[in-house]
Coordinates of all heavy atoms in Angstrom, one line a residue:
M1 N -16.8 -86.4 201.5 CA -17.1 -84.9 201.6 C -18.3 -84.7 202.5 O -19.3 -85.3 202.3 CB -17.3 -84.4 200.2 CG -17.4 -82.9 200.1 SD -17.6 -82.3 198.5 CE -19.2 -81.7 198.5
A2 N -18.2 -83.7 203.3 CA -19.3 -83.3 204.2 C -20.4 -82.6 203.4 O -20.1 -82.0 202.3 CB -18.8 -82.4 205.3
S3 N -21.6 -82.7 203.9 CA -22.8 -82.1 203.2 C -22.6 -80.5 203.3 O -22.1 -80.0 204.3 CB -24.1 -82.5 203.8 OG -24.3 -83.8 203.6
A4 N -22.9 -79.8 202.2 CA -22.8 -78.4 202.1 C -23.9 -77.7 203.0 O -25.0 -78.0 202.8 CB -22.9 -77.9 200.7
K5 N -23.4 -76.8 203.9 CA -24.4 -76.1 204.7 C -24.8 -74.8 204.1 O -25.9 -74.3 204.4 CB -23.7 -75.9 206.1 CG -23.4 -77.2 206.8 CD -23.4 -77.1 208.3 CE -23.2 -78.4 208.9 NZ -23.4 -78.4 210.3
I6 N -24.0 -74.3 203.2 CA -24.4 -73.1 202.4 C -24.5 -73.5 200.9 O -23.6 -74.1 200.4 CB -23.4 -72.0 202.6 CG1 -23.5 -71.5 204.1 CG2 -23.7 -70.8 201.7 CD1 -22.5 -70.4 204.4
K7 N -25.6 -73.2 200.3 CA -25.9 -73.6 198.9 C -26.2 -72.4 198.0 O -26.5 -71.3 198.6 CB -27.0 -74.6 198.8 CG -26.7 -75.9 199.5 CD -27.8 -76.9 199.3 CE -27.5 -78.2 199.9 NZ -28.6 -79.2 199.7
K8 N -26.1 -72.5 196.7 CA -26.4 -71.5 195.8 C -27.9 -71.1 196.0 O -28.8 -72.0 196.1 CB -26.2 -72.0 194.4 CG -26.5 -71.0 193.3 CD -26.3 -71.6 191.9 CE -26.7 -70.7 190.9 NZ -26.4 -71.2 189.5
G9 N -28.2 -69.8 196.1 CA -29.6 -69.3 196.2 C -29.9 -69.0 197.7 O -31.0 -68.4 198.0
D10 N -29.0 -69.4 198.6 CA -29.3 -69.1 200.0 C -29.1 -67.6 200.3 O -28.4 -66.9 199.7 CB -28.3 -69.9 201.0 CG -28.7 -71.3 201.1 OD1 -29.8 -71.8 200.7 OD2 -27.9 -72.0 201.7
S11 N -29.9 -67.2 201.3 CA -29.8 -65.8 201.8 C -28.8 -65.9 203.0 O -29.0 -66.6 203.9 CB -31.1 -65.2 202.3 OG -30.9 -63.9 202.8
V12 N -27.7 -65.1 202.9 CA -26.7 -65.1 203.9 C -26.3 -63.8 204.5 O -26.7 -62.8 203.9 CB -25.3 -65.7 203.4 CG1 -25.5 -67.2 203.0 CG2 -24.8 -65.0 202.2
V13 N -25.7 -63.8 205.7 CA -25.3 -62.5 206.4 C -23.8 -62.6 206.5 O -23.3 -63.6 206.9 CB -26.0 -62.4 207.8 CG1 -25.6 -61.2 208.5 CG2 -27.5 -62.5 207.7
V14 N -23.1 -61.4 206.3 CA -21.7 -61.4 206.4 C -21.4 -61.2 207.9 O -21.9 -60.3 208.5 CB -21.1 -60.3 205.5 CG1 -19.6 -60.2 205.7 CG2 -21.5 -60.5 204.0
L15 N -20.5 -62.0 208.4 CA -20.1 -62.0 209.8 C -19.0 -61.0 210.2 O -18.9 -60.5 211.3 CB -19.8 -63.4 210.4 CG -21.0 -64.4 210.2 CD1 -20.5 -65.8 210.6 CD2 -22.2 -63.9 211.0
S16 N -18.0 -60.9 209.2 CA -16.9 -60.1 209.5 C -16.3 -59.4 208.3 O -16.7 -59.8 207.1 CB -15.7 -60.9 210.2 OG -15.3 -61.9 209.3
G17 N -15.4 -58.4 208.5 CA -14.8 -57.7 207.4 C -15.5 -56.4 207.0 O -16.4 -55.9 207.8
K18 N -15.1 -55.8 205.9 CA -15.6 -54.5 205.6 C -17.2 -54.5 205.3 O -17.8 -53.4 205.4 CB -14.9 -53.9 204.4 CG -15.1 -54.7 203.1 CD -14.4 -54.1 201.9 CE -14.8 -54.8 200.7 NZ -14.5 -54.2 199.5
D19 N -17.7 -55.6 204.9 CA -19.2 -55.7 204.6 C -19.9 -56.3 205.7 O -21.0 -56.8 205.5 CB -19.3 -56.6 203.3 CG -18.7 -55.8 202.1 OD1 -18.9 -54.6 202.0 OD2 -18.0 -56.5 201.3
K20 N -19.4 -56.3 206.9 CA -20.1 -56.9 208.1 C -21.5 -56.4 208.2 O -21.8 -55.3 208.2 CB -19.3 -56.7 209.3 CG -19.9 -57.3 210.6 CD -19.0 -56.9 211.8 CE -19.7 -57.5 213.0 NZ -18.8 -57.3 214.2
G21 N -22.4 -57.4 208.4 CA -23.8 -57.0 208.6 C -24.7 -57.0 207.3 O -25.9 -57.0 207.4
Q22 N -24.0 -57.0 206.2 CA -24.8 -57.0 204.9 C -25.3 -58.3 204.6 O -24.8 -59.4 205.0 CB -23.9 -56.5 203.8 CG -23.5 -55.1 203.8 CD -22.8 -54.7 202.5 OE1 -22.8 -55.4 201.5 NE2 -22.3 -53.4 202.5
T23 N -26.4 -58.3 203.9 CA -27.0 -59.6 203.5 C -27.1 -59.6 202.0 O -27.0 -58.6 201.3 CB -28.5 -59.7 204.0 OG1 -29.3 -58.6 203.4 CG2 -28.6 -59.7 205.5
G24 N -27.1 -60.9 201.4 CA -27.1 -61.1 200.0 C -27.4 -62.5 199.7 O -27.6 -63.4 200.6
T25 N -27.6 -62.8 198.4 CA -27.9 -64.1 197.9 C -26.7 -64.8 197.4 O -25.9 -64.1 196.6 CB -29.0 -64.0 196.8 OG1 -30.1 -63.3 197.3 CG2 -29.4 -65.4 196.4
V26 N -26.4 -66.0 197.7 CA -25.3 -66.8 197.2 C -25.4 -67.0 195.7 O -26.4 -67.6 195.2 CB -25.1 -68.1 197.9 CG1 -23.9 -68.9 197.3 CG2 -24.9 -67.8 199.4
L27 N -24.4 -66.6 194.9 CA -24.4 -66.8 193.5 C -23.7 -68.0 193.1 O -24.0 -68.7 192.1 CB -23.8 -65.6 192.8 CG -24.4 -64.2 192.9 CD1 -23.6 -63.1 192.3 CD2 -25.8 -64.2 192.4
Q28 N -22.6 -68.4 193.8 CA -21.8 -69.5 193.5 C -21.1 -70.0 194.8 O -20.7 -69.2 195.6 CB -20.8 -69.1 192.4 CG -19.9 -70.3 192.0 CD -18.9 -69.8 190.9 OE1 -18.8 -68.6 190.6 NE2 -18.1 -70.7 190.5
V29 N -20.9 -71.2 194.9 CA -20.1 -71.8 196.0 C -19.0 -72.6 195.5 O -19.1 -73.4 194.5 CB -21.0 -72.8 196.9 CG1 -20.2 -73.4 198.0 CG2 -22.2 -72.1 197.4
M30 N -17.8 -72.4 196.1 CA -16.6 -73.0 195.6 C -16.0 -73.9 196.7 O -15.2 -73.4 197.5 CB -15.5 -72.0 195.1 CG -16.0 -71.2 194.0 SD -15.0 -69.7 193.7 CE -16.2 -68.4 193.9
P31 N -16.5 -75.1 196.9 CA -16.1 -75.9 198.1 C -14.7 -76.2 198.1 O -14.1 -76.3 199.3 CB -17.0 -77.1 198.0 CG -17.6 -77.1 196.7 CD -17.5 -75.7 196.1
K32 N -14.0 -76.4 197.0 CA -12.6 -76.8 197.0 C -11.7 -75.6 197.5 O -10.7 -75.9 198.2 CB -12.1 -77.2 195.6 CG -12.6 -78.6 195.2 CD -12.0 -79.0 193.8 CE -12.5 -80.4 193.5 NZ -12.1 -80.8 192.2
D33 N -12.1 -74.4 197.2 CA -11.4 -73.3 197.6 C -11.9 -72.7 199.0 O -11.2 -71.8 199.5 CB -11.5 -72.2 196.6 CG -11.0 -72.6 195.2 OD1 -10.1 -73.4 195.2 OD2 -11.5 -72.0 194.2
G34 N -13.0 -73.2 199.4 CA -13.6 -72.6 200.7 C -14.1 -71.2 200.5 O -14.0 -70.5 201.4
K35 N -14.6 -70.9 199.3 CA -15.0 -69.6 199.0 C -16.5 -69.6 198.5 O -17.1 -70.6 198.1 CB -14.1 -68.9 198.0 CG -12.7 -68.9 198.3 CD -12.1 -67.6 198.0 CE -10.6 -67.6 198.4 NZ -10.3 -66.7 199.5
V36 N -17.1 -68.4 198.7 CA -18.4 -68.2 198.2 C -18.6 -66.8 197.6 O -17.9 -65.9 197.9 CB -19.4 -68.3 199.4 CG1 -19.2 -67.2 200.4 CG2 -20.8 -68.4 199.1
L37 N -19.5 -66.7 196.5 CA -19.7 -65.5 195.8 C -21.1 -65.0 196.2 O -22.1 -65.7 196.0 CB -19.6 -65.8 194.3 CG -19.3 -64.7 193.3 CD1 -17.9 -64.2 193.7 CD2 -19.4 -65.2 192.0
V38 N -21.2 -63.8 196.8 CA -22.4 -63.3 197.3 C -22.8 -62.0 196.5 O -21.9 -61.1 196.3 CB -22.3 -62.9 198.8 CG1 -23.7 -62.4 199.3 CG2 -21.9 -64.2 199.6
D39 N -24.0 -61.9 196.0 CA -24.5 -60.8 195.2 C -24.5 -59.5 196.1 O -25.1 -59.4 197.1 CB -25.9 -61.1 194.7 CG -26.4 -60.1 193.7 OD1 -25.5 -59.5 193.0 OD2 -27.6 -59.8 193.7
G40 N -23.8 -58.5 195.5 CA -23.8 -57.2 196.1 C -22.8 -57.0 197.4 O -22.8 -56.0 198.0
V41 N -22.0 -58.0 197.6 CA -21.1 -58.0 198.8 C -19.7 -58.2 198.3 O -19.5 -59.0 197.4 CB -21.5 -59.1 199.8 CG1 -20.6 -59.1 201.0 CG2 -22.9 -58.8 200.3
N42 N -18.7 -57.6 198.9 CA -17.3 -57.7 198.5 C -17.1 -57.4 197.0 O -16.6 -58.2 196.3 CB -16.8 -59.1 198.9 CG -15.3 -59.2 198.8 OD1 -14.6 -58.2 199.1 ND2 -14.8 -60.4 198.5
V43 N -17.6 -56.2 196.6 CA -17.6 -55.9 195.2 C -16.2 -55.3 194.8 O -15.7 -54.4 195.5 CB -18.7 -54.8 194.9 CG1 -18.7 -54.3 193.5 CG2 -20.1 -55.3 195.3
A44 N -15.6 -55.9 193.8 CA -14.4 -55.5 193.3 C -14.6 -54.5 192.1 O -15.4 -54.8 191.3 CB -13.5 -56.7 192.9
T45 N -13.8 -53.5 192.1 CA -13.9 -52.5 191.0 C -12.7 -52.6 190.0 O -11.6 -52.6 190.5 CB -14.0 -51.1 191.5 OG1 -15.1 -51.0 192.5 CG2 -14.3 -50.0 190.5
R46 N -13.0 -52.7 188.8 CA -11.9 -52.7 187.8 C -12.2 -51.6 186.7 O -13.2 -51.5 186.2 CB -12.0 -54.1 187.0 CG -11.8 -55.3 187.8 CD -10.3 -55.5 188.1 NE -10.0 -56.7 189.0 CZ -9.9 -56.6 190.4 NH1 -10.0 -55.5 190.9 NH2 -9.7 -57.7 191.0
H47 N -11.1 -50.9 186.5 CA -11.1 -49.8 185.5 C -10.7 -50.5 184.1 O -9.6 -51.0 184.0 CB -10.2 -48.7 185.8 CG -10.7 -47.9 187.0 ND1 -10.6 -48.4 188.3 CD2 -11.3 -46.7 187.1 CE1 -11.2 -47.5 189.1 NE2 -11.6 -46.5 188.5
R48 N -11.6 -50.4 183.1 CA -11.3 -51.0 181.8 C -11.1 -50.0 180.7 O -11.8 -49.0 180.6 CB -12.6 -51.9 181.4 CG -13.0 -52.9 182.4 CD -12.0 -54.1 182.4 NE -12.4 -55.2 183.2 CZ -11.7 -56.2 183.6 NH1 -10.5 -56.3 183.2 NH2 -12.2 -57.1 184.4
K49 N -10.0 -50.2 180.0 CA -9.7 -49.4 178.9 C -10.8 -49.7 177.7 O -11.2 -50.8 177.6 CB -8.4 -49.6 178.3 CG -7.2 -48.9 179.1 CD -5.9 -49.2 178.4 CE -4.9 -48.2 178.8 NZ -3.6 -48.5 178.1
P50 N -11.0 -48.7 176.9 CA -11.9 -49.0 175.7 C -11.2 -50.0 174.8 O -10.0 -49.9 174.5 CB -12.0 -47.7 175.0 CG -11.8 -46.7 176.1 CD -10.7 -47.3 177.0
T51 N -11.9 -51.0 174.3 CA -11.5 -52.0 173.4 C -12.5 -52.1 172.2 O -13.5 -51.5 172.3 CB -11.3 -53.4 174.1 OG1 -12.6 -53.8 174.5 CG2 -10.3 -53.4 175.2
Q52 N -12.2 -52.9 171.3 CA -13.1 -53.1 170.2 C -14.4 -53.8 170.7 O -15.5 -53.6 170.2 CB -12.5 -53.9 169.0 CG -11.5 -53.2 168.2 CD -11.1 -53.9 166.9 OE1 -11.1 -55.1 167.0 NE2 -10.6 -53.2 166.0
A53 N -14.2 -54.8 171.6 CA -15.3 -55.5 172.2 C -16.2 -54.6 173.1 O -17.4 -54.7 173.1 CB -14.8 -56.7 172.9
N54 N -15.5 -53.7 173.8 CA -16.2 -52.7 174.6 C -15.7 -51.3 174.4 O -14.8 -50.8 175.1 CB -15.9 -53.1 176.1 CG -16.6 -52.3 177.1 OD1 -17.5 -51.5 176.8 ND2 -16.3 -52.3 178.4
P55 N -16.2 -50.6 173.4 CA -15.6 -49.3 172.9 C -15.8 -48.2 174.0 O -15.1 -47.3 174.0 CB -16.4 -49.0 171.7 CG -17.4 -50.1 171.4 CD -17.3 -51.1 172.5
Q56 N -16.8 -48.4 174.9 CA -17.1 -47.4 175.9 C -16.0 -47.5 177.0 O -15.7 -46.4 177.6 CB -18.5 -47.6 176.5 CG -18.9 -46.6 177.5 CD -19.0 -45.2 176.9 OE1 -19.4 -45.0 175.8 NE2 -18.7 -44.2 177.7
G57 N -15.6 -48.7 177.3 CA -14.6 -48.8 178.5 C -15.4 -48.6 179.8 O -16.6 -48.9 179.8
G58 N -14.8 -48.0 180.8 CA -15.5 -47.7 182.0 C -15.1 -48.5 183.2 O -14.0 -49.1 183.2
I59 N -15.9 -48.5 184.2 CA -15.7 -49.2 185.5 C -16.6 -50.4 185.6 O -17.8 -50.2 185.5 CB -15.9 -48.2 186.7 CG1 -14.9 -47.0 186.5 CG2 -15.6 -48.9 188.0 CD1 -15.2 -45.9 187.5
D60 N -16.0 -51.6 185.8 CA -16.8 -52.8 186.1 C -16.8 -53.1 187.6 O -15.7 -53.0 188.2 CB -16.1 -54.0 185.4 CG -16.3 -53.9 183.8 OD1 -17.1 -53.1 183.4 OD2 -15.6 -54.7 183.1
R61 N -18.0 -53.4 188.0 CA -18.1 -53.7 189.5 C -18.7 -55.1 189.6 O -19.8 -55.4 189.1 CB -19.0 -52.7 190.2 CG -18.5 -51.4 190.3 CD -19.4 -50.4 191.0 NE -18.8 -49.1 191.1 CZ -18.8 -48.2 190.2 NH1 -19.4 -48.4 189.0 NH2 -18.2 -47.0 190.4
N62 N -17.9 -56.0 190.1 CA -18.3 -57.5 190.2 C -18.0 -58.0 191.6 O -17.0 -57.6 192.2 CB -17.6 -58.3 189.1 CG -17.9 -57.9 187.7 OD1 -19.1 -57.8 187.4 ND2 -16.9 -57.8 186.9
P63 N -18.9 -58.8 192.1 CA -18.6 -59.4 193.4 C -17.4 -60.4 193.3 O -17.2 -61.1 192.3 CB -19.9 -60.2 193.7 CG -20.6 -60.4 192.4 CD -20.2 -59.3 191.5
A64 N -16.5 -60.3 194.3 CA -15.4 -61.1 194.4 C -15.6 -62.2 195.4 O -16.4 -62.1 196.3 CB -14.2 -60.3 194.8
P65 N -14.9 -63.4 195.2 CA -15.2 -64.5 196.2 C -14.7 -64.1 197.6 O -13.7 -63.3 197.8 CB -14.3 -65.6 195.6 CG -13.9 -65.2 194.2 CD -14.0 -63.7 194.2
M66 N -15.4 -64.6 198.7 CA -14.9 -64.4 200.0 C -15.0 -65.7 200.7 O -15.6 -66.6 200.3 CB -15.8 -63.3 200.7 CG -17.3 -63.7 200.8 SD -18.3 -62.3 201.3 CE -17.5 -61.8 202.8
A67 N -14.3 -65.8 201.9 CA -14.2 -67.0 202.6 C -15.6 -67.4 203.1 O -16.4 -66.6 203.6 CB -13.3 -66.8 203.8
I68 N -15.9 -68.7 203.0 CA -17.2 -69.2 203.3 C -17.4 -69.1 204.9 O -18.5 -69.0 205.4 CB -17.3 -70.7 202.9 CG1 -18.8 -71.1 202.8 CG2 -16.6 -71.6 203.8 CD1 -19.1 -72.3 202.0
S69 N -16.2 -69.0 205.7 CA -16.4 -68.9 207.1 C -16.8 -67.5 207.5 O -17.2 -67.3 208.6 CB -15.0 -69.2 207.7 OG -14.0 -68.3 207.3
K70 N -16.8 -66.6 206.6 CA -17.2 -65.2 206.9 C -18.7 -64.9 206.7 O -19.2 -63.9 207.0 CB -16.5 -64.2 206.1 CG -15.0 -64.1 206.4 CD -14.4 -62.9 205.7 CE -12.9 -62.7 206.2 NZ -12.6 -61.3 206.4
V71 N -19.4 -66.0 206.3 CA -20.9 -65.8 206.1 C -21.6 -66.9 206.8 O -21.1 -68.0 207.1 CB -21.3 -65.9 204.6 CG1 -20.6 -64.7 203.8 CG2 -20.9 -67.2 203.9
A72 N -22.9 -66.5 207.2 CA -23.8 -67.5 207.8 C -25.1 -67.4 207.2 O -25.5 -66.3 206.7 CB -23.8 -67.2 209.4
V73 N -25.8 -68.5 207.2 CA -27.2 -68.5 206.6 C -28.0 -67.6 207.4 O -28.0 -67.6 208.6 CB -27.7 -70.0 206.6 CG1 -29.1 -70.0 206.1 CG2 -26.8 -70.8 205.7
A74 N -28.9 -66.8 206.7 CA -29.8 -66.0 207.4 C -31.1 -66.8 207.8 O -31.6 -67.6 207.1 CB -30.3 -64.8 206.5
D75 N -31.5 -66.6 209.1 CA -32.6 -67.4 209.6 C -33.9 -66.9 208.8 O -34.2 -65.8 208.7 CB -32.8 -67.0 211.1 CG -33.7 -68.0 211.8 OD1 -34.7 -68.4 211.2 OD2 -33.4 -68.3 213.0
P76 N -34.7 -67.9 208.3 CA -35.9 -67.6 207.6 C -36.9 -66.8 208.4 O -37.7 -66.1 207.8 CB -36.5 -68.9 207.1 CG -35.4 -70.0 207.5 CD -34.4 -69.3 208.4
K77 N -36.8 -66.9 209.7 CA -37.8 -66.3 210.5 C -37.5 -64.8 210.7 O -38.4 -63.9 210.6 CB -37.8 -67.0 211.9 CG -39.1 -66.8 212.7 CD -39.2 -67.7 213.9 CE -40.5 -67.7 214.5 NZ -40.6 -68.7 215.6
D78 N -36.3 -64.4 211.1 CA -36.0 -63.0 211.4 C -34.8 -62.4 210.6 O -34.5 -61.3 210.8 CB -35.7 -62.9 212.9 CG -34.6 -63.7 213.4 OD1 -33.9 -64.3 212.7 OD2 -34.4 -63.7 214.7
G79 N -34.1 -63.2 209.8 CA -33.0 -62.7 209.0 C -31.7 -62.6 209.6 O -30.7 -62.1 209.1
K80 N -31.6 -63.0 210.9 CA -30.4 -62.9 211.6 C -29.5 -64.2 211.3 O -30.1 -65.2 211.0 CB -30.6 -62.8 213.1 CG -31.3 -61.5 213.6 CD -31.5 -61.4 215.0 CE -32.1 -60.1 215.4 NZ -32.4 -60.0 216.8
P81 N -28.2 -64.1 211.5 CA -27.4 -65.2 211.2 C -27.7 -66.4 212.1 O -27.9 -66.2 213.3 CB -25.9 -64.7 211.4 CG -26.0 -63.4 212.0 CD -27.4 -62.9 211.9
T82 N -27.6 -67.6 211.5 CA -27.8 -68.8 212.3 C -26.9 -69.9 211.8 O -26.5 -69.9 210.6 CB -29.3 -69.3 212.2 OG1 -29.5 -70.4 213.1 CG2 -29.7 -69.6 210.8
R83 N -26.7 -70.9 212.6 CA -26.0 -72.1 212.2 C -27.0 -73.1 211.5 O -28.2 -72.9 211.7 CB -25.3 -72.8 213.3 CG -24.1 -71.9 213.8 CD -23.5 -72.5 215.1 NE -24.5 -72.3 216.2 CZ -24.7 -73.2 217.2 NH1 -23.9 -74.2 217.3 NH2 -25.6 -72.9 218.1
V84 N -26.5 -74.1 210.9 CA -27.4 -75.0 210.2 C -27.1 -76.4 210.6 O -25.9 -76.8 210.9 CB -27.1 -74.9 208.6 CG1 -28.0 -75.9 207.9 CG2 -27.4 -73.6 208.1
R85 N -28.2 -77.2 210.9 CA -28.0 -78.6 211.2 C -29.0 -79.3 210.2 O -29.8 -78.8 209.5 CB -28.4 -78.9 212.6 CG -29.8 -78.8 213.0 CD -30.1 -79.4 214.3 NE -31.6 -79.1 214.6 CZ -32.0 -78.3 215.5 NH1 -31.2 -77.7 216.3 NH2 -33.3 -78.2 215.7
F86 N -28.7 -80.6 210.2 CA -29.5 -81.4 209.3 C -30.6 -82.2 210.1 O -30.2 -82.8 211.2 CB -28.6 -82.4 208.5 CG -27.8 -81.7 207.5 CD1 -26.5 -81.3 207.8 CD2 -28.3 -81.3 206.3 CE1 -25.7 -80.6 206.9 CE2 -27.5 -80.6 205.3 CZ -26.2 -80.3 205.7
G87 N -31.8 -82.3 209.5 CA -32.8 -83.1 210.2 C -33.5 -83.9 209.1 O -33.2 -83.8 208.0
E88 N -34.5 -84.7 209.6 CA -35.2 -85.5 208.6 C -36.7 -85.1 208.7 O -37.2 -84.9 209.8 CB -35.1 -87.0 209.0 CG -35.4 -87.9 207.8 CD -35.1 -89.3 208.1 OE1 -33.9 -89.6 208.5 OE2 -35.9 -90.2 208.0
Q89 N -37.3 -84.9 207.5 CA -38.7 -84.6 207.4 C -39.3 -85.3 206.2 O -38.8 -85.2 205.1 CB -38.8 -83.1 207.2 CG -40.2 -82.5 207.5 CD -40.1 -81.0 207.5 OE1 -39.6 -80.4 206.5 NE2 -40.7 -80.3 208.5
D90 N -40.3 -86.1 206.5 CA -41.0 -86.9 205.5 C -40.0 -87.9 204.8 O -40.1 -88.1 203.6 CB -41.7 -86.1 204.5 CG -42.8 -85.2 205.1 OD1 -43.4 -85.6 206.1 OD2 -43.0 -84.1 204.6
G91 N -39.0 -88.4 205.6 CA -38.0 -89.3 205.0 C -37.0 -88.7 204.2 O -36.2 -89.3 203.6
K92 N -36.9 -87.3 204.2 CA -35.9 -86.6 203.4 C -35.0 -85.8 204.4 O -35.4 -85.3 205.4 CB -36.5 -85.7 202.4 CG -37.2 -86.4 201.2 CD -37.5 -85.5 200.1 CE -38.0 -86.3 198.9 NZ -38.1 -85.4 197.7
K93 N -33.7 -85.7 204.0 CA -32.8 -84.9 204.7 C -33.0 -83.5 204.4 O -32.9 -83.1 203.2 CB -31.4 -85.4 204.3 CG -30.2 -84.8 205.1 CD -28.9 -85.4 204.7 CE -27.8 -84.7 205.3 NZ -26.5 -85.3 204.9
V94 N -33.2 -82.6 205.3 CA -33.4 -81.2 205.1 C -32.5 -80.4 206.0 O -32.0 -80.8 207.1 CB -34.9 -80.8 205.4 CG1 -35.8 -81.4 204.4 CG2 -35.3 -81.1 206.8
R95 N -32.2 -79.2 205.7 CA -31.4 -78.2 206.4 C -32.4 -77.5 207.4 O -33.5 -77.0 206.9 CB -30.6 -77.3 205.6 CG -29.6 -78.0 204.8 CD -28.8 -77.0 203.9 NE -29.6 -76.3 203.0 CZ -29.4 -75.1 202.5 NH1 -28.2 -74.5 202.9 NH2 -30.2 -74.5 201.7
V96 N -32.0 -77.3 208.6 CA -32.8 -76.6 209.6 C -32.0 -75.6 210.3 O -30.8 -75.8 210.6 CB -33.3 -77.7 210.7 CG1 -34.1 -77.0 211.7 CG2 -34.1 -78.8 210.0
A97 N -32.6 -74.4 210.5 CA -31.9 -73.3 211.2 C -31.9 -73.7 212.7 O -32.9 -74.0 213.3 CB -32.7 -72.0 211.0
V98 N -30.7 -73.5 213.4 CA -30.5 -73.9 214.7 C -31.3 -73.0 215.7 O -31.9 -73.4 216.6 CB -29.0 -73.9 215.1 CG1 -28.8 -74.1 216.6 CG2 -28.3 -75.0 214.3
K99 N -31.3 -71.6 215.4 CA -32.0 -70.7 216.3 C -33.5 -70.8 216.4 O -34.0 -70.9 217.5 CB -31.6 -69.3 215.8 CG -30.3 -68.7 216.3 CD -30.2 -67.3 216.0 CE -28.9 -66.7 216.5 NZ -28.6 -65.4 216.2
S100 N -34.1 -71.0 215.2 CA -35.6 -71.0 215.2 C -36.2 -72.3 215.0 O -37.4 -72.6 215.2 CB -36.1 -70.0 214.1 OG -35.7 -70.5 212.9
G101 N -35.4 -73.3 214.4 CA -35.9 -74.6 214.1 C -36.7 -74.6 212.7 O -37.3 -75.6 212.4
E102 N -36.6 -73.5 212.0 CA -37.4 -73.4 210.7 C -36.6 -74.2 209.7 O -35.3 -74.2 209.7 CB -37.5 -72.0 210.2 CG -38.3 -71.1 211.2 CD -39.7 -71.2 210.8 OE1 -40.1 -71.3 209.7 OE2 -40.5 -71.1 211.8
K103 N -37.3 -74.8 208.7 CA -36.7 -75.5 207.6 C -36.2 -74.4 206.6 O -36.8 -73.5 206.2 CB -37.8 -76.4 206.9 CG -37.3 -77.3 205.9 CD -38.4 -78.2 205.4 CE -38.9 -77.6 204.1 NZ -39.8 -78.5 203.4
I104 N -34.9 -74.6 206.1 CA -34.3 -73.7 205.2 C -34.6 -74.1 203.8 O -34.8 -73.3 203.0 CB -32.8 -73.7 205.5 CG1 -32.5 -73.1 206.9 CG2 -32.1 -72.9 204.4 CD1 -31.1 -73.1 207.3
D105 N -34.6 -75.4 203.5 CA -34.7 -75.9 202.1 C -36.2 -75.6 201.7 O -37.1 -75.9 202.4 CB -34.5 -77.3 202.0 CG -33.0 -77.6 202.2 OD1 -32.1 -76.8 201.8 OD2 -32.6 -78.7 202.8
G106 N -36.3 -75.1 200.4 CA -37.6 -74.8 199.8 C -38.8 -75.4 200.4 O -39.9 -75.2 200.5

């Protein structure tokens, strides 16, 4: 399996679709499905009937999974989308933004 270029907690930019240009934080990555869950992006709305567990009912808004190919990591320098490559720093493998050369990992 190839190393993951997008990880949980990364700041990403949406490249296409109805939410194009929006930024958010990755909540979950699903590599087998090729999907990613981004906070505040691709929000699905569900109307819920009142139940015993939820007597109020109402409208639930939750982020829905989207294709991992539709998002790109936000450059730590300027927040614009960038590709990711791997480099070595202090003997450790780190992710590096292609545009600015900045280190992405903590």
Side-chain angles (χ1 to χ4, degrees):
M1 185 178 112
S3 296
K5 298 205 174 189
I6 296 178
K7 295 183 179 182
K8 180 179 177 180
D10 282 349
S11 179
V12 294
V13 180
V14 179
L15 300 175
S16 64
K18 65 176 184 168
D19 296 317
K20 180 178 180 177
Q22 287 189 12
T23 60
T25 306
V26 175
L27 299 174
Q28 183 182 0
V29 179
M30 300 166 239
K32 285 186 179 178
D33 302 329
K35 304 226 180 244
V36 66
L37 206 63
V38 182
D39 187 31
V41 177
N42 195 29
V43 177
T45 306
R46 298 280 179 266
H47 292 73
R48 302 285 186 192
K49 278 187 167 181
T51 61
Q52 283 188 338
N54 182 12
Q56 183 66 33
I59 301 171
D60 289 344
R61 292 179 179 84
N62 295 315
M66 61 190 307
I68 203 164
S69 61
K70 291 189 173 222
V71 298
V73 176
D75 196 322
K77 201 170 194 177
D78 60 7
K80 293 183 180 176
T82 183
R83 288 171 295 146
V84 177
R85 72 167 176 249
F86 292 96
E88 200 170 308
Q89 200 171 49
D90 301 327
K92 290 195 173 191
K93 186 176 175 182
V94 294
R95 294 181 302 152
V96 178
V98 171
K99 277 189 179 178
S100 65
E102 295 277 323
K103 188 174 98 170
I104 293 172
D105 293 325

